[in-house]
Amino acid sequence: MENFNYTGREFSIIFLIIFLIPGCQQKLDQPTGVLNQLNKYNVVWDSPSKDCLGSMPLGNGDIGLNVWVEKSGDICFYISKTDSWGDNARLLKVGKVRIKLNPEKDSLPAFNQQVLHLADGSVKIQFGEDAEAVKVLLWVDANHPVVNIDIDSKDKVGVVAINEMWRNKEYPLESISHGDIMFHALSENGLKEPVIIEPDQILKNQKNQIGWFHHNIKSIGPEITAIHQGFDEIMIKDPLLHRTFGAIIEAENASPANDKTLKLSNAKKHYLKVHVLTNQPSSPDEWLEDMEKSIAKTAQVNHDERWRNHKKWWSEFWNRSWIHISENGESGNSPADDDAFFVSQGYSLQRFISACAARGNYPIKFNGSIFTVAHPDKPGGADYRRWGPAYWWQNTRLPYISMCASGDFEMMKPLFKFYLDDLSEFFRERTELYFGHEGLFINEEIYIWGGVPMETYGWDSNFQERTDKLQTSGFHKYEWVSGLELLHLMLDYYAYTEDQEFLSNRVLPFAHEVLTFFDRHYKTNQQGKLVMYPSQALETWWDCTNPMPELAGLYATLSRLSKINSELTSMDERKFWNDLYSKLPEIPLREVDDIKMLAPAERYDVFMNVESPEMYSVYPFRLYGIGNPNIAYGIEAMKNRSEFISGGWNQEDIFYAYLGETEKAKKVIVNRARGKDATVRFPAFWGPNFDWTPDQDHGGVLVKAVQSLVLQTDGDKIYLLPAWPKDWDVEFKLHAPKNTIIEVKYKNGKISDLKVTPKEREKDIVFKL
């Protein structure tokens, strides 16, 4: 929407340059300065941890670690991977490793500190003072599938690495919860059959190394859901059966003390490597053969070069985007009452956590990512996560909504791969099967093969006997905004990158299928307008006509598609979009005390949850807000919500920012940045909130909300500092559509530095003071 009309003062970029930005051409921070600025967000512990609840995250986008040091001086870490799916469809840990230093002499210097060093993606552990110190550097190679443990000591030290696997034998899971295991029918007395956890396997009689693997000898889920949900003839290949994942630990001058313990001779320097691999389908022998090839390939690049390339990757990551906040006139240090520091650190730590898990074969798991740890009262140890293995779209999207503005485009690709490459053909064929028409719909809740959890779908009858082919659970039975939101996010990706191949091969074909579903699925009334019924507004209103999320999504995506250069689209596509747009009913409004505001739907009943579906027209679909008419509709809707909740997947801080409600947005963001799980030590392990720790929805919303305070875009317009608190200073570098980069320094109420790349985009900037 090109019309804009907002309260407060607006200035063109020309006015800014002439009157408000003295020295605006002066040089902004160089990369080294950015990395030095980042150091203040490092997490530093000067005491060891009791257990895994005191762990730090580390990763390379696919392989993750939870690292901690115990009082004994032992260094422990869980190993995780984005594709280590077990036979019960649970995302399992690869394993756990314990490193003992000088175990025979018992003469290790006292623990000094453990530091998460953001600039180079490492954890640095030191025992003793500098002159006599034993230093340990852990890093997960950003370019190779290997964990590195580098040990440097003035005196010679011995090292022992121990595989502390806990899935040692077959055992039944103690209990289940929704989303954890949903393939086993329940009786009045519990499970009709037990949920069996299969053991890991040890590699026997290895030379100079130890190793282990988990091999799925069965697959619980794909076949059961396919039969009960009717898609047994169209299902993609089983992604669980014969999936094999594991690790091998090796080092020079090492020999196994036994099949689970690797001993390194005394030396001043040690270079331990833990190689991690997943294959599917694969036999154990095939997995081992491929693992040996992977080890050999990694060995082709020497250690020092790999470390330099690893640091280069992280340097480029941090230098493509940042936000640094401080109180007016303050240094930005970290006293307990410095809200600006907490927000700024939380922003950077969450970007780091996302980067550690966003380049694998599957999207980030919202309920813990790959950084879950064992809790004493939860079954399954570190493999447990509340709401289990399924992907809920409303949750899954939230770590990704900030990535365009951060310039983290490569980290979005696994999300697109999952929903488009892996599953879109399945979605299309299932739509034909269930409804007998073209297009595709995406369920809110799916497994990695596309099926719906059986506890949601229902066990009540044979598929062929069902007249209603959809799930029996009403929580998201008719919630079909997923496809529209994904399409909108893909349009953002195209707008920012201008990748025409992505547009032609991904966006336009997917848009056709998603929009065709809505065109074919709903009838029109006498006025030729769609009547979207039966429908629901998210999980909150179960009985609706013309729900806001889907309707706003249709308006937003169709409008954006129609503005794409006509040379890149076909006449048939443009006609279809225009015809469908003409069928859309009006955006639903309601009145409270004669004041108009956004409504959850044209008609809505049966209140069941605490979301705010009316606000989806503000975000993600951006029909109302700064720069758009009738912003008051959104402001009044926020005042009159059915429920007022914060944290987790709730997005009220984003809504406030897009409505220009600065102080309200700031308050919620500060509370979010201080919202870590009280049972854990790491400051950005949020949660558990509605889901599980570390809660990636909570952190994902934090990142987007902070971005929205400093930069918003609408078409070609770039709104600078649209909701920024005047008592905070900020330096930032963010991305905008058309391959644009914005760098700003704002201090004591004035912009002192501004750089827009490319320069011709300066004319599109609007500043709100």
PDB file of all heavy atoms in Angstrom, residues 339-363:
ATOM      1  N   ASP A 339      18.515  -2.467  30.883  1.00  0.00           N
ATOM      2  CA  ASP A 339      17.589  -3.114  29.959  1.00  0.00           C
ATOM      3  C   ASP A 339      18.131  -3.133  28.537  1.00  0.00           C
ATOM      4  O   ASP A 339      17.969  -4.115  27.802  1.00  0.00           O
ATOM      5  CB  ASP A 339      16.234  -2.393  29.973  1.00  0.00           C
ATOM      6  CG  ASP A 339      15.469  -2.614  31.271  1.00  0.00           C
ATOM      7  OD1 ASP A 339      15.758  -3.601  31.965  1.00  0.00           O
ATOM      8  OD2 ASP A 339      14.586  -1.794  31.575  1.00  0.00           O
ATOM      9  N   ALA A 340      18.753  -2.039  28.127  1.00  0.00           N
ATOM     10  CA  ALA A 340      19.269  -1.964  26.763  1.00  0.00           C
ATOM     11  C   ALA A 340      20.295  -3.062  26.502  1.00  0.00           C
ATOM     12  O   ALA A 340      20.316  -3.673  25.426  1.00  0.00           O
ATOM     13  CB  ALA A 340      19.891  -0.588  26.516  1.00  0.00           C
ATOM     14  N   PHE A 341      21.152  -3.306  27.491  1.00  0.00           N
ATOM     15  CA  PHE A 341      22.147  -4.363  27.319  1.00  0.00           C
ATOM     16  C   PHE A 341      21.472  -5.728  27.190  1.00  0.00           C
ATOM     17  O   PHE A 341      21.837  -6.536  26.322  1.00  0.00           O
ATOM     18  CB  PHE A 341      23.127  -4.399  28.494  1.00  0.00           C
ATOM     19  CG  PHE A 341      24.062  -5.571  28.428  1.00  0.00           C
ATOM     20  CD1 PHE A 341      25.188  -5.521  27.633  1.00  0.00           C
ATOM     21  CD2 PHE A 341      23.789  -6.743  29.126  1.00  0.00           C
ATOM     22  CE1 PHE A 341      26.042  -6.623  27.537  1.00  0.00           C
ATOM     23  CE2 PHE A 341      24.630  -7.843  29.034  1.00  0.00           C
ATOM     24  CZ  PHE A 341      25.767  -7.778  28.234  1.00  0.00           C
ATOM     25  N   PHE A 342      20.489  -6.011  28.038  1.00  0.00           N
ATOM     26  CA  PHE A 342      19.817  -7.308  27.984  1.00  0.00           C
ATOM     27  C   PHE A 342      19.165  -7.532  26.619  1.00  0.00           C
ATOM     28  O   PHE A 342      19.234  -8.623  26.054  1.00  0.00           O
ATOM     29  CB  PHE A 342      18.765  -7.412  29.095  1.00  0.00           C
ATOM     30  CG  PHE A 342      19.285  -8.002  30.362  1.00  0.00           C
ATOM     31  CD1 PHE A 342      19.836  -7.199  31.341  1.00  0.00           C
ATOM     32  CD2 PHE A 342      19.244  -9.367  30.581  1.00  0.00           C
ATOM     33  CE1 PHE A 342      20.330  -7.731  32.511  1.00  0.00           C
ATOM     34  CE2 PHE A 342      19.727  -9.919  31.744  1.00  0.00           C
ATOM     35  CZ  PHE A 342      20.282  -9.102  32.723  1.00  0.00           C
ATOM     36  N   VAL A 343      18.537  -6.498  26.094  1.00  0.00           N
ATOM     37  CA  VAL A 343      17.894  -6.628  24.791  1.00  0.00           C
ATOM     38  C   VAL A 343      18.943  -6.857  23.705  1.00  0.00           C
ATOM     39  O   VAL A 343      18.802  -7.732  22.846  1.00  0.00           O
ATOM     40  CB  VAL A 343      17.044  -5.380  24.479  1.00  0.00           C
ATOM     41  CG1 VAL A 343      16.540  -5.415  23.037  1.00  0.00           C
ATOM     42  CG2 VAL A 343      15.866  -5.283  25.445  1.00  0.00           C
ATOM     43  N   SER A 344      20.010  -6.060  23.753  1.00  0.00           N
ATOM     44  CA  SER A 344      21.042  -6.156  22.733  1.00  0.00           C
ATOM     45  C   SER A 344      21.763  -7.500  22.789  1.00  0.00           C
ATOM     46  O   SER A 344      22.002  -8.140  21.761  1.00  0.00           O
ATOM     47  CB  SER A 344      22.040  -5.009  22.927  1.00  0.00           C
ATOM     48  OG  SER A 344      22.831  -4.827  21.785  1.00  0.00           O
ATOM     49  N   GLN A 345      22.103  -7.951  23.984  1.00  0.00           N
ATOM     50  CA  GLN A 345      22.745  -9.259  24.117  1.00  0.00           C
ATOM     51  C   GLN A 345      21.805 -10.374  23.691  1.00  0.00           C
ATOM     52  O   GLN A 345      22.198 -11.302  22.970  1.00  0.00           O
ATOM     53  CB  GLN A 345      23.206  -9.495  25.561  1.00  0.00           C
ATOM     54  CG  GLN A 345      23.953 -10.819  25.716  1.00  0.00           C
ATOM     55  CD  GLN A 345      24.210 -11.214  27.158  1.00  0.00           C
ATOM     56  OE1 GLN A 345      23.304 -11.136  28.001  1.00  0.00           O
ATOM     57  NE2 GLN A 345      25.424 -11.636  27.459  1.00  0.00           N
ATOM     58  N   GLY A 346      20.545 -10.293  24.130  1.00  0.00           N
ATOM     59  CA  GLY A 346      19.582 -11.329  23.759  1.00  0.00           C
ATOM     60  C   GLY A 346      19.400 -11.420  22.262  1.00  0.00           C
ATOM     61  O   GLY A 346      19.278 -12.513  21.700  1.00  0.00           O
ATOM     62  N   TYR A 347      19.405 -10.265  21.585  1.00  0.00           N
ATOM     63  CA  TYR A 347      19.295 -10.234  20.127  1.00  0.00           C
ATOM     64  C   TYR A 347      20.457 -10.988  19.487  1.00  0.00           C
ATOM     65  O   TYR A 347      20.266 -11.852  18.617  1.00  0.00           O
ATOM     66  CB  TYR A 347      19.278  -8.785  19.653  1.00  0.00           C
ATOM     67  CG  TYR A 347      19.200  -8.616  18.154  1.00  0.00           C
ATOM     68  CD1 TYR A 347      17.976  -8.486  17.511  1.00  0.00           C
ATOM     69  CD2 TYR A 347      20.351  -8.586  17.370  1.00  0.00           C
ATOM     70  CE1 TYR A 347      17.892  -8.325  16.134  1.00  0.00           C
ATOM     71  CE2 TYR A 347      20.285  -8.432  15.992  1.00  0.00           C
ATOM     72  CZ  TYR A 347      19.054  -8.306  15.383  1.00  0.00           C
ATOM     73  OH  TYR A 347      18.991  -8.159  14.021  1.00  0.00           O
ATOM     74  N   SER A 348      21.669 -10.684  19.912  1.00  0.00           N
ATOM     75  CA  SER A 348      22.849 -11.319  19.319  1.00  0.00           C
ATOM     76  C   SER A 348      22.932 -12.802  19.667  1.00  0.00           C
ATOM     77  O   SER A 348      23.290 -13.627  18.813  1.00  0.00           O
ATOM     78  CB  SER A 348      24.123 -10.597  19.783  1.00  0.00           C
ATOM     79  OG  SER A 348      24.165  -9.277  19.277  1.00  0.00           O
ATOM     80  N   LEU A 349      22.615 -13.157  20.895  1.00  0.00           N
ATOM     81  CA  LEU A 349      22.672 -14.568  21.283  1.00  0.00           C
ATOM     82  C   LEU A 349      21.652 -15.397  20.516  1.00  0.00           C
ATOM     83  O   LEU A 349      21.934 -16.537  20.125  1.00  0.00           O
ATOM     84  CB  LEU A 349      22.444 -14.708  22.788  1.00  0.00           C
ATOM     85  CG  LEU A 349      23.565 -14.191  23.696  1.00  0.00           C
ATOM     86  CD1 LEU A 349      23.173 -14.361  25.163  1.00  0.00           C
ATOM     87  CD2 LEU A 349      24.892 -14.888  23.411  1.00  0.00           C
ATOM     88  N   GLN A 350      20.460 -14.830  20.278  1.00  0.00           N
ATOM     89  CA  GLN A 350      19.459 -15.594  19.534  1.00  0.00           C
ATOM     90  C   GLN A 350      19.876 -15.752  18.077  1.00  0.00           C
ATOM     91  O   GLN A 350      19.677 -16.820  17.486  1.00  0.00           O
ATOM     92  CB  GLN A 350      18.091 -14.929  19.617  1.00  0.00           C
ATOM     93  CG  GLN A 350      17.004 -15.700  18.881  1.00  0.00           C
ATOM     94  CD  GLN A 350      16.850 -17.130  19.368  1.00  0.00           C
ATOM     95  OE1 GLN A 350      16.774 -17.372  20.575  1.00  0.00           O
ATOM     96  NE2 GLN A 350      16.817 -18.094  18.459  1.00  0.00           N
ATOM     97  N   ARG A 351      20.449 -14.725  17.492  1.00  0.00           N
ATOM     98  CA  ARG A 351      20.969 -14.896  16.129  1.00  0.00           C
ATOM     99  C   ARG A 351      22.017 -15.995  16.090  1.00  0.00           C
ATOM    100  O   ARG A 351      22.076 -16.792  15.145  1.00  0.00           O
ATOM    101  CB  ARG A 351      21.591 -13.586  15.615  1.00  0.00           C
ATOM    102  CG  ARG A 351      20.630 -12.686  14.872  1.00  0.00           C
ATOM    103  CD  ARG A 351      21.376 -11.655  14.026  1.00  0.00           C
ATOM    104  NE  ARG A 351      21.876 -12.228  12.787  1.00  0.00           N
ATOM    105  CZ  ARG A 351      23.000 -11.854  12.195  1.00  0.00           C
ATOM    106  NH1 ARG A 351      23.779 -10.930  12.744  1.00  0.00           N
ATOM    107  NH2 ARG A 351      23.378 -12.413  11.065  1.00  0.00           N
ATOM    108  N   PHE A 352      22.855 -16.055  17.106  1.00  0.00           N
ATOM    109  CA  PHE A 352      23.874 -17.098  17.180  1.00  0.00           C
ATOM    110  C   PHE A 352      23.235 -18.475  17.286  1.00  0.00           C
ATOM    111  O   PHE A 352      23.616 -19.414  16.567  1.00  0.00           O
ATOM    112  CB  PHE A 352      24.782 -16.838  18.386  1.00  0.00           C
ATOM    113  CG  PHE A 352      25.783 -17.932  18.638  1.00  0.00           C
ATOM    114  CD1 PHE A 352      26.931 -18.031  17.872  1.00  0.00           C
ATOM    115  CD2 PHE A 352      25.573 -18.872  19.647  1.00  0.00           C
ATOM    116  CE1 PHE A 352      27.854 -19.041  18.099  1.00  0.00           C
ATOM    117  CE2 PHE A 352      26.478 -19.882  19.875  1.00  0.00           C
ATOM    118  CZ  PHE A 352      27.630 -19.971  19.097  1.00  0.00           C
ATOM    119  N   ILE A 353      22.253 -18.624  18.159  1.00  0.00           N
ATOM    120  CA  ILE A 353      21.587 -19.923  18.345  1.00  0.00           C
ATOM    121  C   ILE A 353      20.934 -20.368  17.048  1.00  0.00           C
ATOM    122  O   ILE A 353      21.014 -21.546  16.666  1.00  0.00           O
ATOM    123  CB  ILE A 353      20.565 -19.832  19.494  1.00  0.00           C
ATOM    124  CG1 ILE A 353      21.279 -19.680  20.841  1.00  0.00           C
ATOM    125  CG2 ILE A 353      19.664 -21.063  19.524  1.00  0.00           C
ATOM    126  CD1 ILE A 353      20.353 -19.390  21.998  1.00  0.00           C
ATOM    127  N   SER A 354      20.289 -19.444  16.353  1.00  0.00           N
ATOM    128  CA  SER A 354      19.672 -19.797  15.074  1.00  0.00           C
ATOM    129  C   SER A 354      20.726 -20.233  14.061  1.00  0.00           C
ATOM    130  O   SER A 354      20.554 -21.223  13.350  1.00  0.00           O
ATOM    131  CB  SER A 354      18.871 -18.618  14.527  1.00  0.00           C
ATOM    132  OG  SER A 354      17.756 -18.329  15.335  1.00  0.00           O
ATOM    133  N   ALA A 355      21.837 -19.492  13.994  1.00  0.00           N
ATOM    134  CA  ALA A 355      22.892 -19.838  13.043  1.00  0.00           C
ATOM    135  C   ALA A 355      23.476 -21.213  13.326  1.00  0.00           C
ATOM    136  O   ALA A 355      23.924 -21.902  12.408  1.00  0.00           O
ATOM    137  CB  ALA A 355      23.998 -18.788  13.077  1.00  0.00           C
ATOM    138  N   CYS A 356      23.467 -21.624  14.578  1.00  0.00           N
ATOM    139  CA  CYS A 356      24.008 -22.929  14.961  1.00  0.00           C
ATOM    140  C   CYS A 356      23.136 -24.085  14.485  1.00  0.00           C
ATOM    141  O   CYS A 356      23.586 -25.244  14.499  1.00  0.00           O
ATOM    142  CB  CYS A 356      24.159 -23.019  16.480  1.00  0.00           C
ATOM    143  SG  CYS A 356      25.529 -22.056  17.144  1.00  0.00           S
ATOM    144  N   ALA A 357      21.893 -23.815  14.078  1.00  0.00           N
ATOM    145  CA  ALA A 357      20.961 -24.911  13.773  1.00  0.00           C
ATOM    146  C   ALA A 357      20.186 -24.719  12.482  1.00  0.00           C
ATOM    147  O   ALA A 357      19.278 -25.504  12.209  1.00  0.00           O
ATOM    148  CB  ALA A 357      19.977 -25.072  14.940  1.00  0.00           C
ATOM    149  N   ALA A 358      20.527 -23.718  11.667  1.00  0.00           N
ATOM    150  CA  ALA A 358      19.661 -23.354  10.540  1.00  0.00           C
ATOM    151  C   ALA A 358      20.236 -23.700   9.181  1.00  0.00           C
ATOM    152  O   ALA A 358      19.730 -23.225   8.164  1.00  0.00           O
ATOM    153  CB  ALA A 358      19.354 -21.851  10.597  1.00  0.00           C
ATOM    154  N   ARG A 359      21.283 -24.540   9.122  1.00  0.00           N
ATOM    155  CA  ARG A 359      21.842 -24.892   7.816  1.00  0.00           C
ATOM    156  C   ARG A 359      21.847 -26.405   7.595  1.00  0.00           C
ATOM    157  O   ARG A 359      22.623 -26.917   6.781  1.00  0.00           O
ATOM    158  CB  ARG A 359      23.263 -24.336   7.682  1.00  0.00           C
ATOM    159  CG  ARG A 359      23.325 -22.812   7.688  1.00  0.00           C
ATOM    160  CD  ARG A 359      24.672 -22.315   7.208  1.00  0.00           C
ATOM    161  NE  ARG A 359      25.757 -22.718   8.090  1.00  0.00           N
ATOM    162  CZ  ARG A 359      26.999 -22.957   7.670  1.00  0.00           C
ATOM    163  NH1 ARG A 359      27.314 -22.859   6.393  1.00  0.00           N
ATOM    164  NH2 ARG A 359      27.934 -23.299   8.544  1.00  0.00           N
ATOM    165  N   GLY A 360      20.974 -27.116   8.296  1.00  0.00           N
ATOM    166  CA  GLY A 360      20.915 -28.553   8.162  1.00  0.00           C
ATOM    167  C   GLY A 360      19.867 -29.002   7.161  1.00  0.00           C
ATOM    168  O   GLY A 360      19.415 -28.235   6.307  1.00  0.00           O
ATOM    169  N   ASN A 361      19.451 -30.245   7.301  1.00  0.00           N
ATOM    170  CA  ASN A 361      18.512 -30.830   6.340  1.00  0.00           C
ATOM    171  C   ASN A 361      17.050 -30.607   6.714  1.00  0.00           C
ATOM    172  O   ASN A 361      16.162 -30.937   5.916  1.00  0.00           O
ATOM    173  CB  ASN A 361      18.786 -32.331   6.215  1.00  0.00           C
ATOM    174  CG  ASN A 361      20.053 -32.608   5.435  1.00  0.00           C
ATOM    175  OD1 ASN A 361      20.319 -31.972   4.420  1.00  0.00           O
ATOM    176  ND2 ASN A 361      20.862 -33.535   5.919  1.00  0.00           N
ATOM    177  N   TYR A 362      16.786 -30.082   7.905  1.00  0.00           N
ATOM    178  CA  TYR A 362      15.413 -29.847   8.345  1.00  0.00           C
ATOM    179  C   TYR A 362      15.322 -28.495   9.021  1.00  0.00           C
ATOM    180  O   TYR A 362      16.325 -27.954   9.504  1.00  0.00           O
ATOM    181  CB  TYR A 362      14.960 -30.954   9.312  1.00  0.00           C
ATOM    182  CG  TYR A 362      14.730 -32.271   8.616  1.00  0.00           C
ATOM    183  CD1 TYR A 362      15.759 -33.201   8.483  1.00  0.00           C
ATOM    184  CD2 TYR A 362      13.496 -32.569   8.050  1.00  0.00           C
ATOM    185  CE1 TYR A 362      15.559 -34.409   7.814  1.00  0.00           C
ATOM    186  CE2 TYR A 362      13.279 -33.770   7.389  1.00  0.00           C
ATOM    187  CZ  TYR A 362      14.314 -34.679   7.268  1.00  0.00           C
ATOM    188  OH  TYR A 362      14.108 -35.848   6.600  1.00  0.00           O
ATOM    189  N   PRO A 363      14.117 -27.923   9.070  1.00  0.00           N
ATOM    190  CA  PRO A 363      13.963 -26.616   9.728  1.00  0.00           C
ATOM    191  C   PRO A 363      14.275 -26.687  11.220  1.00  0.00           C
ATOM    192  O   PRO A 363      14.299 -27.762  11.835  1.00  0.00           O
ATOM    193  CB  PRO A 363      12.478 -26.284   9.500  1.00  0.00           C
ATOM    194  CG  PRO A 363      12.037 -27.142   8.360  1.00  0.00           C
ATOM    195  CD  PRO A 363      12.854 -28.393   8.462  1.00  0.00           C
TER     196      PRO A 363
END
